[in-house]
């Protein structure tokens, strides 16, 4: 199909993955024969090897991490042992956790079908914000399997565990599906929710077996162990068959060679996808953002429906649908059904469909833009691959540095293991919130640990605050507050700014279904104003400052006033031809250095990591006209400076390298910072927004002496400098070290920067390679960032700097 | 260690207080307004183990079977009926369930004070107040949780009392105090000895009988609005948790005195309120607005005779705007009872006096089905549709269309030939062909029945203007905020 499009020149990777035939394992003898019969009734002739192994181990109460790609039948791995337990003992209970409500719905159907095939009475239902009150009561009393999400467990179940006695007394299995989504801050929170869950199980005397399922990531076992705090057995021997797949990476052509600008990936998709669909392939297209999905949908509909060209097989009109968050459940169900029965020929989706929603298998998957991680790429590409038919998996890369890195190193996709998912459950801020919630649920005993965290000091601190009270060897909750409600799992900053539309009346009496406000913020009906959305307090100064234009679902709102004390922004809808962009001034101060500065592997950029304070001040904003992107005005922002206390990793340029870089130092440093940020996001499994970057020519660096007079380089490379506890206060004024800081964008850090410290050599080497391979002359969006913003020699300067750092010590004159 | 942590925490949170839940009041107090307590509790916690026995003794607490207990008597001058309500009153209020056999003197009045209002497992009842009728007044017994570590004995005793009590009376206990006690029992793993007691919760009764006279159905509001005994110098309920927390932190037992008074007053108010409810249930109505609530109470208890009588009284003596609501309830009650002729009388009064649209529809149904007076039904419908807002007008339009057809058929039958009446109605008089959509939607393609009716009406009475009121004011005045009419089954 691709060949027929006749644009082979743009293909940078064309890899054929041969079909794989299934490998079966023996059905465990311990499995209830009724379930074996139910399986054959459902058309399952035998268990794949990974399923057999998982069921066998789960039945023997081993904690598991099952790692398999899309559509490999992982649900059987946990449904079988759970149903087996319920068949053996009717009072057994199980708890399923899914990251979204939609997934829980999906799995409910599947579980119920299996139970029906086994002729067993299974009382089960989803438990979330949509569950009717009568069903809730019945579930609490008698539900065998509760399907819920971490947020509901956190605020709805654990703090009220006395109503769930039946569940917690007989909890046999806890299933955590889509394990790989629990990373970063969210994962750190969920790990703490699991700690609370295990405390409560201990209290009621149950010891559930944890079965976790993950898409392919580098460290599933490690992630599972961190998340549940127990040793797990990892099952990654996938026995499911897979059809032949053709993996193609497509790089759009350069349209403006001087500036290194390429045709946009969306426009390429506009020509490629209709051709695929017309040739009869059911196609799924992944966009990176909601906005991009809507734009793509628009393009494709025009191409496919309005052109006079009929489908090649003369069939019915080709239905194209979009699928993203924010659609109503019924609408989603209809699209899923249409995909399964084939009436929807093409769907444009966000990563919402990356998770295990059952839509059947497509014949082609097209990714518009690199999704940011290898793991996500394979998850999304894996949607194509129907049994017995070869599938096309096409990645159209965009113009950014990450995308272009993939384009120039396509083998990276095939050879590199997928990213690691990192969590940091002991982040103090996260921990403090959950220790309070846990104390609310059950008093802490003296010396009791929370997971493997020592919390005595924290409890003493909470006692000083009057939140808990120590008596009788236990720490009792004593505040008039509901701590779980103050902790939002999906972000670490506890207080959000609520955006309120002052113009619209409260919901119309006969209006349709209410918006998706089911969380803690709730649509406060009857207050006379409507809540448009929420934004966390770190992003608020940039997006909802006074006179900002706030964009929400394609609509523009003018911010009348940001009430910072009350955390409220008052807005009203407008239609203007510009948007606003705030500028953030960031300064960074090192508070404590945990490791380094030290050299590693002969590289002369020193590495270090520690605590930093990042002060950011939104001081002004620009009004930018749509389409032309010209600045048509500016305005001041008067908001207090925000301090972010977090962890950072930094690269220090030693004096002899700085000397050799000469004038290249400053522009090179800034250019390199931009590259490092992108490469770091690539090397970790994280969104580039999770990392911040700051380059400083004179950074006072803890742990190093004052740079003047220069010290012999060898002393640094030895890496054995005694640590100092505080920086000399005058270091900042007198000078400092050139350094690039990469910091965690979340308060307290989520463990990203510790990994960067370990990956120091890899990150720097990849940055150098990206620079070298980039074909542009003097810097482009694909390497050192927007050319206009940086000196036009930035790319060269960055390379000089890197070369200086990598070269063996030579006389300074030898360079350039 | 703790100092380091505190500093780090402050840096992370930007100096905000740690816990922020539903109650904003709690922590802001603890941060600044309080005198500094003893320096932070060490891990040993020894400082907090000591219960200030003497200070508690000054408040009147004695240790009885390990529990700090305080006894006092509330005398009858307070308005409390000595000896309590009669068993028959209790039985009527509770809808019996076994209350008929309970001696009022064996009943426990029960109310707790808690460390918060958030609910869930972290809310602890720290003061259990029990009251009993005695000829001399109300005997109150208060149990204090003197130390958070000593909850078990207290819960055990309370469970024992609930299990052996003949009956208990609370205000909002069904939703609050008893579930909370059950939660504590589970947390102490005493749930095996949990027996749900025979329980009368006064809150639903107050809602039903007096809800219209109160802004909020809280006990203090009841005292102010119903019992005529507003509290002075009472500790607001929201401050109770803070007082107890201060006691725990600083050993400040004196601050609990106001809580004890608050709790004892609650118990006395409970007794007082029960007396009032008993008199009301016997029919001793104090206020003309109370009849409607009483009638609904009787109906719910199955006392149909009393209900019919009281509904009639309510419709007669209630002051506006309750008079119209009472008439509606009365008519609906009669209809439910199958007394259609009596109901029709009330509906007619509602229609004639207030142009009540629910009454109009009910009257039409009655005229069509029971009386067979189609002309009258048509007349009422045509008057009503002119007053009705669009969503209701549709229903009258359908009715008019149907009545037109029935009248036409009847006229045709009289004349002995098939066909229709007047020229304008001829077109719509015929049966619609099978399978076609309802005729009122065929009249004018895409139009609603109301528009169709208006078009037909313009054809019939070219001079008639629009008489419909601009807003649906009449409809919105329906009791309980209903905006749609009740269609009888």
């Amino acid at each position: 199909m691709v060949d027929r499009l006749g644009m082979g020149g743009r293909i940078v990777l064309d890899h054929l993955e041969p079909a794989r035939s299934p490998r079966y394992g023996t059905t465990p003898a311990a499995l209830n024969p009724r379930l074996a019969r139910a399986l054959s009734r459902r058309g399952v002739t035998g268990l794949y090897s990974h399923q057999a192994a998982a069921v066998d181990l789960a039945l023997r109460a081993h904690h598991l991490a099952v790692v398999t790609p899309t559509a490999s039948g992982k649900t059987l791995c946990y449904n079988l042992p759970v149903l087996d337990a319920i068949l053996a003992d009717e009072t057994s209970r199980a708890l399923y956790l899914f990251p979204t409500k939609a997934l829980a719905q999906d799995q409910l159907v599947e579980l119920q079908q299996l139970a029906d095939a086994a002729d067993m009475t299974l009382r089960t239902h989803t438990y979330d914000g949509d569950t009717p009150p009568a069903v809730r009561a019945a579930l609490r009393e008698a539900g065998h399997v509760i399907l819920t999400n971490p947020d509901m467990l956190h605020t709805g179940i654990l703090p009220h565990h006395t109503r769930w006695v039946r569940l917690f007394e007989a909890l046999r299995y806890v299933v955590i599906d889509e394990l790989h989504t629990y990373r970063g801050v969210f994962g750190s929170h969920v790990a703490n929710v699991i700690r609370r869950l295990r405390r409560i199980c201990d209290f009621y005397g149950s010891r559930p077996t944890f079965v976790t399922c993950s898409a392919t990531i580098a460290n599933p076992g490690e992630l599972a162990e961190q998340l549940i705090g127990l040793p797990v057995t990892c099952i990654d021997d996938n026995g499911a068959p897979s059809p032949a797949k053709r993996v193609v990476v497509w790089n759009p052509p350069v349209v403006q060679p001087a500036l290194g600008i390429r045709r946009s990936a969306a426009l390429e998709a506009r020509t490629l996808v209709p051709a695929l669909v017309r040739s009869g392939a059911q196609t799924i297209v992944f966009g990176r953002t909601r906005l991009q999905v809507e734009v793509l949908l628009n393009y494709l509909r025009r191409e496919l429906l309005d052109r006079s060209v009929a489908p090649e097989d003369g069939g019915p009109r080709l239905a194209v649908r979009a699928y993203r968050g924010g659609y109503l459940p019924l609408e989603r169900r209809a699209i899923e059904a249409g995909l399964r029965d084939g009436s929807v020929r093409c769907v444009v989706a966000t990563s919402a469909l990356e998770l295990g929603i059952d839509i059947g298998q497509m014949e082609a998957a097209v990714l518009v833009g690199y999704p940011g991680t290898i793991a996500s790429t394979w998850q999304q590409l894996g949607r194509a691959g129907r049994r017995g038919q070869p599938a096309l998996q096409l990645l159209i890369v965009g113009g950014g540095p990450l995308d272009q890195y993939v384009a120039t190193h396509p083998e990276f996709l095939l050879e590199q293991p997928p990213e690691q998912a990192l969590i940091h459950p002991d982040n103090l801020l996260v921990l403090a919130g959950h220790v309070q919630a846990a104390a609310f649920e059950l008093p802490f005993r003296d010396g009791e640990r929370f997971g493997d965290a020592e919390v005595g000091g924290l409890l003493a601190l909470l006692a000083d605050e009057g939140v808990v009270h120590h008596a009788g060897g236990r720490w009792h909750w004593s505040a008039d507050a509901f701590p779980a409600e103050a902790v939002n799992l999906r972000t670490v900053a506890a207080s959000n700014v609520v955006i309120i539309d002052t113009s619209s009346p409260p919901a119309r009496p006969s209006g349709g279904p209410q918006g998706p406000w089911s969380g803690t913020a709730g649509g406060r009906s009857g207050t006379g104003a409507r809540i448009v959305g929420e934004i966390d307090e770190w992003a608020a100064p940039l997006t909802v400052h006074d006179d900002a234009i706030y964009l929400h679902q394609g609509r523009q709102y003018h911010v009348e006033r940001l009430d910072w004390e009350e955390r409220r922004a008052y807005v009203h809808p407008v239609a203007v031809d510009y948007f606003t962009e705030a500028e953030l001034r960031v300064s960074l101060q090192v508070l404590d250095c945990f490791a380094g500065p030290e050299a590693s592997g002969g590289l002369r950029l020193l590495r270090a990591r520690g605590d930093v304070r990042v002060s950011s001040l939104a001081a002004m904003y620009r009004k930018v006209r749509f389409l032309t992107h010209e600045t048509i005005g500016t305005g001041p922002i008067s908001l207090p400076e925000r301090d972010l206390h977090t962890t950072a990793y930094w690269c220090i340029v030693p004096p002899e390298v700085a000397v050799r870089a000469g004038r290249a130092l400053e522009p090179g440093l800034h250019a390199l910072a931009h590259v490092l940020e992108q490469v770091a996001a690539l090397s970790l499994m994280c969104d580039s927004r999770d990392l911040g970057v700051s380059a400083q020519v004179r950074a006072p660096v803890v742990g190093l002496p004052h740079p003047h007079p220069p010290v012999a380089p060898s002393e640094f490379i030895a890496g054995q400098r005694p640590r100092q506890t505080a920086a000399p206060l005058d270091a900042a004024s007198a000078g400092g070290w050139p350094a690039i800081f990469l910091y965690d964008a979340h308060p307290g850090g989520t463990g990203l920067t510790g990994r960067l410290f370990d990956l120091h050599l890899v990150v720097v080497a990849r940055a150098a390679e990206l620079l070298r391979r980039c074909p542009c002359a003097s810097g482009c969006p694909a390497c050192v960032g927007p050319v206009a913003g940086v000196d036009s020699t930035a790319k060269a300067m960055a390379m000089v700097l890197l070369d200086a750092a990598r070269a063996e010590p030579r006389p300074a004159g030898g360079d350039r | 260690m703790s100092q380091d942590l505190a500093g780090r925490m402050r840096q992370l949170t930007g100096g905000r207080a740690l816990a922020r839940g539903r109650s904003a009041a709690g922590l802001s107090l603890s941060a600044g307004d309080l005198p500094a307590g003893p320096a932070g509790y060490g891990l040993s916690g020894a400082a907090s183990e000591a219960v200030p026995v003497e200070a508690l003794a000054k408040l009147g607490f004695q240790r009885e079977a390990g529990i700090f207990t305080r006894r006092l008597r509330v005398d009858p001058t307070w308005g409390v009926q000595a000896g309590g309500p009669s068993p028959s009153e209790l039985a009527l209020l509770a809808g019996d369930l076994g209350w008929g056999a309970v001696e009022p003197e064996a009943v426990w009045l029960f109310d707790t004070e808690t460390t918060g209002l958030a609910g869930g497992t972290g809310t602890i009842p720290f003061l259990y107040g029990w009251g009993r009728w005695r000829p001399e007044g109300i005997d109150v017994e208060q149990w204090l949780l003197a130390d958070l570590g000593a909850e078990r004995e207290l819960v055990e005793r309370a469970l024992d009392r609930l299990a052996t009590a003949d009956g208990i009376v609370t205000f909002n206990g069904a939703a609050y105090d008893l579930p909370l006690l059950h939660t504590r029992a589970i947390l102490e793993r005493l749930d095996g000895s949990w027996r749900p007691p025979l329980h009368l919760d006064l809150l639903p009764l107050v809602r039903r009988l007096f809800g219209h006279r109160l802004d909020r159905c809280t006990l203090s509001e009841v005292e102010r609005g119903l019992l005529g005994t507003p509290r002075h110098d009472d500790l607001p309920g929201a401050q109770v948790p803070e007082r107890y927390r201060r006691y725990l932190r600083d050993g400040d037992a004196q601050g609990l005195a106001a809580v004890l008074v608050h709790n004892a007053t609650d118990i006395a108010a409970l007794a007082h309120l029960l007396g009032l409810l008993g008199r009301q249930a016997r029919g001793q109505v104090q206020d003309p607005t109370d009849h409607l609530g009483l009638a609904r109470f009787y109906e719910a208890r199955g006392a149909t005779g009393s209900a019919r009588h009281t509904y009639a009284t309510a419709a007669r003596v209630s002051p506006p705007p309750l008079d119209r609501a009472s008439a509606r309830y009365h008519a609906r009650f009669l209809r439910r009872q199958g007394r259609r002729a009596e109901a029709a009388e009330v509906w007619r009064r509602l229609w004639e006096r207030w142009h009540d649209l629910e009454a109009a529809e009910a009257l039409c149904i009655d005229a069509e089905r029971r009386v067979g007076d189609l002309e009258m039904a048509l007349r009422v419908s045509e008057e009503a549709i002119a007053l009705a807002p669009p969503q209701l007008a549709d229903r009258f339009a359908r009715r008019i269309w149907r009545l037109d057809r029935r009248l036409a058929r009847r006229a045709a039958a009289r004349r002995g030939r098939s066909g229709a009446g007047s020229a304008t109605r001829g077109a719509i008089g015929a049966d619609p062909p099978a399978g076609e959509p309802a005729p009122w939607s065929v009249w004018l393609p895409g139009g609603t029945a109301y528009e169709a009716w208006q078009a037909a009406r313009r054809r019939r009475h070219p001079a008639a203007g629009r008489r419909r009121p601009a807003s649906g004011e009449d409809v919105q005045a329906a009791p309980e905020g209903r905006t749609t009419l009740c269609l009888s089954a």
Side-chain angles (χ1 to χ4, degrees), chain A residues 42 58 148 157 174 280 345-346 356 358 390 401 408 444 451 493 499 507 526 563 565 625 676 696 721 771 799-800:
Chain A
R42 302 246 311 143
T148 184
I157 297 180
V174 176
R345 301 306 300 167
C346 178
D358 179 20
T408 47
F444 273 94
I499 300 164
D563 186 339
E565 291 306 310
R625 198 188 294 279
L676 279 180
Q696 298 186 3
R721 307 293 306 176
L771 279 174
M799 289 178 81
V800 168

Side-chain angles (χ1 to χ4, degrees), chain A residues 159 464 470-471 478 480 486 611, chain B residues 8 20 40 45 48 117 121 147 245:
Chain A
D464 286 348
H470 188 259
S478 63
D480 181 11
D611 270 0
Chain B
R8 222 167 117 67
R20 272 168 299 113
S48 66
L117 296 170
T121 45
D147 186 319
R245 197 153 48 245

Side-chain angles (χ1 to χ4, degrees), chain A residues 257-596:
Chain A
L259 296 177
I261 293 173
R262 291 173 180 275
R263 204 162 114 102
S264 94
L267 288 175
E268 290 288 281
R270 188 181 170 182
T271 45
L272 289 173
V273 175
L276 276 172
V277 176
R278 263 190 235 107
S279 73
Q282 196 183 18
T283 305
I284 182 164
V285 182
F286 282 99
R288 293 212 53 193
T289 61
R290 290 178 173 198
L291 183 66
Q292 198 187 25
V293 164
E294 296 291 343
V295 170
L296 279 170
L297 177 72
N298 188 335
Y299 287 173
L300 295 179
R301 281 215 168 127
R302 272 195 229 167
E303 290 290 321
L304 284 167
L305 300 181
D306 294 351
R307 280 228 187 141
S308 51
V309 183
E312 284 175 12
D313 56 357
R317 299 214 311 167
L318 303 171
V320 186
R321 304 297 300 268
Y323 186 106
R324 60 169 177 82
Y327 281 11
L328 296 173
L330 275 181
E331 207 172 351
R332 284 176 165 231
R333 292 289 102 74
I335 299 170
E336 289 158 21
L339 284 168
R340 281 191 295 264
D341 69 23
S343 61
V344 174
R345 301 306 300 167
C346 178
V347 66
V348 191
T350 52
S351 54
L353 261 179
E354 188 181 304
L355 301 176
I357 304 260
D358 179 20
I359 53 164
Q361 288 296 96
M362 306 289 115
E363 286 157 291
V366 178
L367 273 51
V368 181
Y370 176 60
T373 65
I374 297 180
S376 273
T377 306
W378 289 117
Q379 275 281 98
Q380 296 182 357
L381 288 177
R383 281 293 186 183
R386 194 169 288 174
R387 199 155 300 175
Q389 276 174 304
L392 175 67
Q393 302 182 333
L394 174 63
L395 167 63
I396 305 174
V397 297
L402 269 182
D403 289 62
Q404 285 306 308
Y405 183 88
V406 174
T408 47
H409 305 71
E411 73 285 351
F412 168 84
L413 275 183
L414 300 172
E415 289 159 12
Q416 199 69 20
E419 295 80 358
Q420 297 184 324
L422 302 175
I423 59 172
H424 181 41
D426 295 339
N427 171 313
L428 189 57
L429 207 52
V430 173
L431 189 67
H434 288 279
V435 163
Q436 291 178 65
F440 181 91
E441 285 150 12
L442 287 173
F444 273 94
R445 290 185 313 277
D446 279 348
E448 181 181 342
R449 298 176 82 85
F450 187 53
D452 44 8
E454 209 287 310
V455 291
L458 197 52
L459 286 167
L461 178 66
L462 291 171
D464 286 348
E465 295 268 344
V467 176
V468 298
H469 179 77
H470 188 259
R474 295 202 288 179
W475 303 87
H476 299 265
W477 182 253
S478 63
D480 181 11
F482 192 81
E485 233 165 45
V487 180
N488 182 352
L489 299 192
R490 314 263 173 175
T491 162
V492 85
S495 74
N496 284 352
V497 173
V498 178
I499 300 164
I500 297 165
D501 184 352
T502 53
S503 69
S504 62
R508 276 163 290 156
S510 62
Q514 298 299 307
W517 290 104
S518 53
T520 49
R524 282 159 219 167
S525 57
T527 52
R530 192 173 64 93
I531 293 175
V532 183
E534 274 187 317
I535 193 156
D536 71 73
E537 63 172 306
W538 301 104
L542 290 179
T543 42
V544 291
H545 56 82
D546 290 2
D547 288 323
I549 298 296
Y550 169 70
L551 295 172
H552 190 87
Q553 292 183 356
R555 236 171 292 149
Q556 292 175 312
Y557 294 90
H558 176 252
V559 179
E560 296 157 18
R561 193 164 61 86
L562 171 61
D563 186 339
W564 188 249
E565 291 306 310
E566 291 293 316
R567 299 284 193 272
R568 283 178 184 187
Y570 298 94
V571 303
H572 64 264
V574 288
V576 291
D577 66 343
Y578 66 91
F579 58 97
T580 55
E581 232 175 31
E583 276 178 17
L584 200 63
R585 286 186 201 145
V586 178
S587 63
L588 183 144
Q589 192 193 346
V590 176
L591 300 173
D592 193 5
C593 185
F594 300 156

Side-chain angles (χ1 to χ4, degrees), chain B residues 324 328 331-332 335 340 343-344 346-352 354-371 373-374 376-400 402-403 475 478 482-489:
Chain B
R324 181 173 171 187
R328 268 187 170 181
R332 288 186 200 156
R335 186 171 59 194
R340 300 203 171 262
V346 183
W347 289 127
R348 181 183 306 281
R349 193 151 52 85
L350 268 164
W351 169 240
E352 282 167 1
W354 288 289
H355 286 288
D356 186 292
L357 291 172
E358 180 184 356
E361 187 163 51
L363 260 186
C364 290
I365 291 167
D366 189 64
E368 262 190 272
R369 298 206 186 147
R370 187 176 61 89
V371 187
D373 185 350
L374 299 190
M376 188 194 102
L378 185 63
R379 204 172 56 242
V380 173
S381 296
E382 293 208 313
E383 279 177 47
I385 198 170
L387 301 170
Q391 71 266 31
L392 294 180
D394 260 18
R395 293 158 61 152
F396 285 108
R398 284 161 208 231
R399 187 173 298 284
I400 292 170
R402 193 174 60 237
L403 287 167
V475 183
R482 287 188 198 174
T483 53
T484 55
L485 296 182
C486 260
L487 265 183
S488 77

Side-chain angles (χ1 to χ4, degrees), chain A residues 13-160:
Chain A
L13 173 77
D14 189 351
H15 170 81
L16 196 67
E17 187 132 330
R20 232 188 15 214
S21 46
R23 272 179 299 113
Y24 293 99
T26 42
T27 309
L31 188 71
N32 194 308
R34 278 170 72 181
L35 289 172
R37 275 201 302 279
L39 282 180
S40 57
R41 219 177 283 173
R42 302 246 311 143
V44 179
T45 46
L47 293 180
Y48 298 132
S49 52
H50 66 281
Q51 291 173 330
V55 173
D56 180 48
L57 286 170
L59 288 175
R60 290 190 278 129
H62 287 263
H63 307 295
L64 296 182
V66 183
V67 194
T68 54
T70 321
S72 55
K74 65 182 154 65
T75 44
L76 276 185
C77 298
Y78 51 78
N79 279 344
L80 285 176
V82 166
L83 292 184
D84 184 87
I86 295 166
L87 279 173
D89 177 0
E90 208 272 332
T91 62
S92 301
R93 300 284 183 265
L95 182 71
Y96 286 20
L97 292 178
F98 299 96
T100 67
K101 288 197 257 183
L103 272 173
Q105 285 290 350
D106 217 44
Q107 295 299 326
L108 174 66
V109 176
E110 183 141 352
L111 176 66
Q112 196 70 60
Q113 283 171 348
L114 185 60
D116 289 347
D119 287 329
M120 62 183 285
T121 323
L122 182 73
R123 291 184 299 270
T124 177
H125 202 276
T126 53
Y127 188 82
D128 51 40
D130 302 341
T131 312
V135 178
R136 289 177 180 225
L139 262 186
R140 283 197 288 263
E141 272 310 301
H144 285 127
V145 182
I146 315 292
L147 296 90
T148 184
N149 51 58
D151 313 74
M152 197 67 188
L153 182 63
H154 160 63
T155 52
I157 297 180
L158 294 179
H160 300 285

